[in-house]
Amino acid sequence: MKAVTWQGKRDVRVEDAPDPRIQKPTDAVIRITSTGLCGSDLHLYEVLTPFMTPGDILGHEPMGIVEEVGAGVPDLAVGDRVVVPFQIACGDCWMCLTGLPTQCETTQVTGEGMGAALFGYTRLYGAVPGAQAEYLRVPQAQFGPIKVPDGPPDDRFVYLSDVLPTAWQAVSYAGVPEGGSVAVLGLGPIGDMACRVAQVRGAGRVFGVDLVTERLRRARARGVETYDLRDFDDEKELVSAIRDETDGRGPDAVIDAVGTEAHGSAAARLAQQASALLPRRLSGPFAERFSVDRLAALHTAIDLVRRGGTLSLVGVYGGTADPLPLLTLFDKQIQIRMGQANVRRWSDEILPYLTDEDPLGVDDFATHRVPLAEAPRAYEMFQKKRDGAVKVLMTP
């Protein structure tokens, strides 16, 4: 089969890879019909290279048709149309039954001290072959795949793999009161969708912050009160502008949908680049002990949220030596919730919104659709934010 493989920093290639096969009774194999390019993939493209191995198959946002089913998967049949969550979870352990499949005790990557295995996301999460490919082996298929109806185009359902549950959890964790206010920092795919979810779930005012014209335009067209970071001399001015709109207090909640690749912090960027340039035998240990995130967005979120408010962190952070303003967090009595989205925890709540009325705008959410063969160009375009790229879907 053809698959998108990681070969080095900013170097992805479409190559031949072995066809997946059933290895355990709880496996399934699907033929992928659509697969997404996620902002998290750019972390592998740019920042988390010390944890990658040349030849790793990328991707974690697939849907497709079941081609083969193991004997331990009673509820799937060949020909079923399914969306596959980005995490791999059993559905039966204590963590899964508690609504935390991201912490699945069956698939935890204990050797790395991490939670549930993920498709296509470094050795830290199990080095499981990813979904930017023609076919995908799906472990724990008795629980993971979400069956969806035939008929509507893939765009209606593919975001159940990651974008929709991640945005849904971000808003749920933010605890926005009915009619309350929320600011979303970063209007990439997750931030954009988080704004939409907040609106349909009853937020009174939704503020969106970014510095990419196309992202701001998309959010503004859906009623988000947008702020272009380029219009302000610094983050303090931005914070003051939004506070002025919230009786001087700040929003009830702030969602950080940016993560570690925020602008600012030249020293942190240098540390990220240095770890990527070291020989492979040194780069992983260096990153594990000394990695530092670029925390501009997080510090802005802490400053912006009202006292007693909630921060919901959905952007990916990976540093182990990050300094945090604990005095401010304590003094402002800020609650913080964060983590990978627990896809199956939220999927049943989201499905009723994926109707012909399309209240979340999923049908035209993608800005670009490209063949899998054009993945290298798509990665470069998305990473450099060219051609108005906000969300890219690939078709094998």
Side-chain angles (χ1 to χ4, degrees), residues 143 176 229 293 346:
F143 175 67
V176 186
L229 193 56
D293 289 306
W346 309 110

Side-chain angles (χ1 to χ4, degrees), residues 166-176 193-195 197-198 201 255 312:
T166 298
W168 197 272
Q169 179 171 294
V171 174
S172 295
Y173 279 9
V176 186
M193 187 58 73
C195 290
V197 170
R201 294 183 65 177
I255 296 172
S312 177

Side-chain angles (χ1 to χ4, degrees), residues 335-355:
Q335 301 180 73
I336 301 179
R337 297 198 71 181
M338 67 186 82
Q340 303 275 12
N342 298 286
V343 175
R344 292 308 305 268
R345 163 68 179 82
W346 309 110
S347 57
D348 289 346
E349 291 184 21
I350 298 168
L351 274 166
Y353 290 87
L354 304 182
T355 62

Side-chain angles (χ1 to χ4, degrees), residues 265 268 291-293 295 298-299 302 319-326 329:
S265 185
S291 59
V292 178
D293 289 306
L295 298 173
L298 178 55
H299 284 286
I302 292 168
T320 57
D322 291 325
L324 289 175
L326 293 177
L329 290 167

Side-chain angles (χ1 to χ4, degrees), residues 71-143:
V73 185
D75 296 327
L76 283 186
V78 172
D80 282 345
R81 189 186 192 197
V82 296
V83 178
V84 180
F86 68 90
Q87 70 225 200
I88 302 167
C90 71
D92 289 326
C93 70
W94 188 89
M95 285 290 181
C96 285
L97 294 174
T98 308
L100 293 170
T102 53
Q103 311 304 324
C104 175
E105 293 170 323
T106 300
T107 72
Q108 277 181 16
V109 188
T110 54
E112 298 287 351
M114 305 300 281
L118 309 179
F119 287 104
Y121 216 78
T122 81
R123 65 172 173 79
L124 296 178
Y125 288 100
V128 181
Q132 290 170 5
E134 293 180 308
Y135 294 90
L136 177 71
R137 180 178 76 92
V138 181
Q140 303 298 328
Q142 80 287 350
F143 175 67

Side-chain angles (χ1 to χ4, degrees), residues 137-178:
R137 180 178 76 92
V138 181
Q140 303 298 328
Q142 80 287 350
F143 175 67
I146 304 163
K147 287 196 282 189
V148 297
D150 293 329
D154 281 7
D155 292 48
R156 181 73 55 85
F157 303 113
V158 67
Y159 304 114
L160 281 169
S161 60
D162 184 351
V163 173
L164 277 168
T166 298
W168 197 272
Q169 179 171 294
V171 174
S172 295
Y173 279 9
V176 186
E178 183 72 25

Side-chain angles (χ1 to χ4, degrees), residues 6 13 20 54 58 103 109 116 155 233 253 276 300 333 378:
W6 184 92
R13 306 174 194 174
L58 300 170
Q103 311 304 324
V109 188
D155 292 48
D233 289 336
T300 298
Q333 200 168 334

